[in-house]
Structures are given as structure tokens and as C-alpha cells.
Amino acid sequence: MREALDRAIGRMRVNLRAAGVPATEEDVQTAVERGYLDWAVALEALEADLPADALPDFLRPRPVPGDLPTPAVAPVEAEPPSSDDPLALSIRAVSALVQKHEVSPVELAERTLERISEHDPELNAYELVLADEALESAREAEREIARGEYRGPLHGIPVAVKDLFAMRGIPNAGGSKVLADQVTDRDSEAVRRLRRAGAVLIGRTHMSELAYLAGSYNPHHGPTRNPRAPERDTGGSSSGSGAAVAAGMAFAALGTDTGGSIRIPAAFCGIVGLKPTYGRVGLEGVVPLAWSLDHAGPMTRTVEDAAIVLRATAADDPAPPVPPHAVLSVPNLV
């Protein structure tokens, strides 16, 4: 027992030094006395009792860096963006083509809707597809750009929204039957900013009910399947947003994150998910899970695209969110 504790203390010291965290011997002894290292000792004992093939991957012995083979990496040739398959492009690349009138916002909306029609019956990413509204928004974006009123890299770009961001005239259900009849008369702050940036809102994406689970399971709508491996889950709770972006059924999507709900589906689906600083993206009009811990943020295919969406949706003067009863009428949740 003492040997295991000494090993845990040694690992703690190494990690603290590597992280640049100053710690005195008194700090170390306090951690020991308060039992902070007991879990590490217990885990080591558990590892010792299990065969290696029964351990999770992250606990199995790993080769030291010097033992790893050096991969042969071929140079990547930089190629100019192609309009042959605009849905495969990043927001930065396709927006450059839109601005130069080489790709039409209407074409992007139509192709995205076709892709949703083709793949969503299997993936189950969308709660509601806003086909008519999206096409009209794309036509308006095309007219504005033709008049020289280009708003920026999201202008005319199809973007999806998690089913807990208020959108005027549409139920803000939060993946639940409890709120299915609650139609809002205004947009949430993040949606309002997306509209101001000229984004084409293509639909609302599935989520675990009231954002409560880290998986996609929803008793009302079923699971959302992973575009990378449809027999597997997307993770949650922003499950539909992750699947829609990974499958090319939206260039970006809004998600929310309280304990991993952006980051988990982003990791599972092989995309970029960003949990911004608390309050950086306003939560006005968002169905809360834990309003003091909730964050809203972008889900995209590239880091640069995440920055583009964050820049468009971020509050001008970031402030901590206020309790949901002050901004959103959800009597059965507060």
C-alpha cells in the first residue's frame, strides 16, 4: 500500500512540474492527508488484478516515444478549391467561391437538402429540415451578394442548429415531448447572430432529451448514427449537430456543452467542436440543462471554420448568462 502511494506521489510531482504548477512538500502532504491520491492507488490495484487484454485502451502499457516507428509522411500538394463538389469544401474555401459568384447560395442549399434527403433516413441527424425557409434565405443571400452586399464568410452558407436554440415560429423542444408545443416568437441570441451573418439555417438537429445524456439515445426520436461508422453512436448531447457536419449535411452547426456535449460528438464523428469561454456565446433563448454551467459553441469540419462561426455568434460584450427564468419561459424546468 505504501509503495503504491509513493508511486502516486511521484507521478503527481512529475505531472505538476510538467504543467509548470508550483507545489511545496506541504501541498503534497495535504493532498495525501485528504485522500486525493486514494483513487490512483485503488486504480493501480485494479489494473494489477486484470489481464492486459481486459484493460481499456487508455490504461494499457504504451511504448515510449523512442520505440515508436517514424511514419513516412508524403508531402501534401496544395490545390486550389474546386467547385465540383462544394459540399466537401471548408467554409473558408466555399465562401470565397460564393463571394466571387462561382458558387450560388441557392446551389449550396439545394445540394445540402439533397444530401440530407439521401443520408438522413439512415443517420437520423435532423429533427426538422427547414427546406422552404432555407431556400428562400439562400435566394435572398444570392440577391444581396449580387448587389455587392456581401456580409462575410457565412453569407449563403447552410448551417444547422441544435434543437434547443429558440427560432421564431418553431417549437423549441430540446429533444423532449414536454416542450414540443412551446413555439417561440423570437430567435435565441446565437441564432439571431447567425441570421445577421447571412447564414442559411437548414434545419434543427437531434439531441438526447433535454441534453441530459452523453450519448445520442432519445426515447422519442431514436438514436443518431455515426456517419463514420453507422453501427456506432455519435455521442451526445449535440448528436445530430455532430452527425450533420461530419456527413456533409451542413457546413457547421451550433451545439451546447455542459459536461462534454459538444466535445464528445465532435470527437466521435471526427470533426472540430469548441466549448468557448463561459458566456462568450450568449445563452438567451437556449433550453437550459444547468444554466450556470452551459456553454454554446460551434461544430465544424476545420479549426478555421470554428473560428469563423465563433466570431459570428460571440457576444459583443461577453457576460455570464442569467438564469433561464429571466430569458426563457420553461415553467416545467425552472
Side-chain angles (χ1 to χ4, degrees), residues 82-97:
S82 167
S83 59
D84 292 342
D85 182 13
L87 298 189
L89 300 178
S90 67
I91 292 174
R92 174 62 71 191
V94 79
S95 66
L97 298 176

Side-chain angles (χ1 to χ4, degrees), residues 94-115:
V94 79
S95 66
L97 298 176
V98 168
Q99 186 178 13
K100 293 186 292 186
H101 311 289
E102 295 180 20
V103 170
S104 155
V106 174
E107 178 189 357
L108 286 181
E110 289 175 341
R111 287 201 182 201
T112 302
L113 290 168
E114 289 171 3
R115 192 166 182 85

Side-chain angles (χ1 to χ4, degrees), residues 59-90:
L59 290 179
R60 293 181 185 176
R62 300 180 182 179
V64 298
D67 294 337
L68 296 175
T70 302
V73 180
V76 177
E77 297 294 333
E79 296 181 357
S82 167
S83 59
D84 292 342
D85 182 13
L87 298 189
L89 300 178
S90 67

Side-chain angles (χ1 to χ4, degrees), residues 11-302:
R11 288 195 296 269
M12 182 178 70
R13 287 184 174 132
V14 169
N15 291 336
L16 289 172
R17 283 197 299 270
V21 177
T24 66
E25 282 304 308
E26 183 179 354
D27 296 327
V28 172
Q29 288 307 311
T30 299
V32 172
E33 291 168 5
R34 294 183 178 179
Y36 295 161
L37 298 180
D38 290 354
W39 66 270
V41 174
L43 182 61
E44 182 175 319
L46 179 62
E47 287 183 67
D49 291 338
L50 289 175
D53 59 359
L55 291 173
D57 288 343
F58 66 90
L59 290 179
R60 293 181 185 176
R62 300 180 182 179
V64 298
D67 294 337
L68 296 175
T70 302
V73 180
V76 177
E77 297 294 333
E79 296 181 357
S82 167
S83 59
D84 292 342
D85 182 13
L87 298 189
L89 300 178
S90 67
I91 292 174
R92 174 62 71 191
V94 79
S95 66
L97 298 176
V98 168
Q99 186 178 13
K100 293 186 292 186
H101 311 289
E102 295 180 20
V103 170
S104 155
V106 174
E107 178 189 357
L108 286 181
E110 289 175 341
R111 287 201 182 201
T112 302
L113 290 168
E114 289 171 3
R115 192 166 182 85
I116 292 171
S117 178
E118 179 182 357
H119 294 287
D120 201 51
E122 178 186 13
L123 298 176
N124 194 34
Y126 278 92
E127 159 66 16
L128 179 65
V129 179
L130 302 170
D132 293 340
E133 296 89 334
L135 288 171
E136 180 51 41
S137 178
R139 294 185 194 103
E140 179 59 25
E142 190 165 312
R143 290 190 289 265
E144 290 175 346
I145 295 169
R147 294 195 300 264
E149 300 171 4
Y150 182 66
R151 302 190 198 182
L154 286 181
H155 203 175
I157 305 301
V159 175
V161 176
K162 187 177 181 179
D163 187 37
L164 46 55
F165 288 87
M167 296 175 68
R168 59 179 181 265
I170 296 173
N172 192 26
S176 176
K177 294 295 185 184
V178 174
L179 303 177
D181 297 328
Q182 182 172 288
V183 179
T184 60
D185 60 1
R186 59 195 173 113
D187 289 330
S188 61
E189 180 181 349
V191 167
R192 186 165 62 246
R193 290 176 180 275
L194 281 178
R195 293 193 198 274
R196 188 175 69 181
V200 172
L201 302 183
I202 204 78
R204 295 174 66 83
T205 54
H206 278 311
M207 54 183 286
S208 57
E209 187 171 18
L210 298 175
Y212 195 70
L213 297 176
S216 76
Y217 175 74
N218 185 300
H220 312 298
H221 308 298
T224 298
R225 294 176 176 82
N226 195 317
R228 310 291 186 189
E231 72 280 5
R232 299 188 178 185
D233 194 61
T234 59
S237 65
S238 305
S239 47
S241 292
V245 172
M249 299 189 296
F251 284 88
L254 288 182
T256 58
D257 192 313
T258 305
S261 289
I262 286 175
R263 293 162 291 163
I264 292 169
F268 283 15
C269 294
I271 63 171
V272 175
L274 176 63
K275 177 186 178 183
T277 302
Y278 182 70
R280 191 72 182 93
V281 177
L283 290 174
E284 179 185 359
V286 176
V287 176
L289 173 58
W291 70 266
S292 61
L293 298 173
D294 294 341
H295 299 63
M299 302 177 73
T300 61
R301 291 198 291 268
T302 72

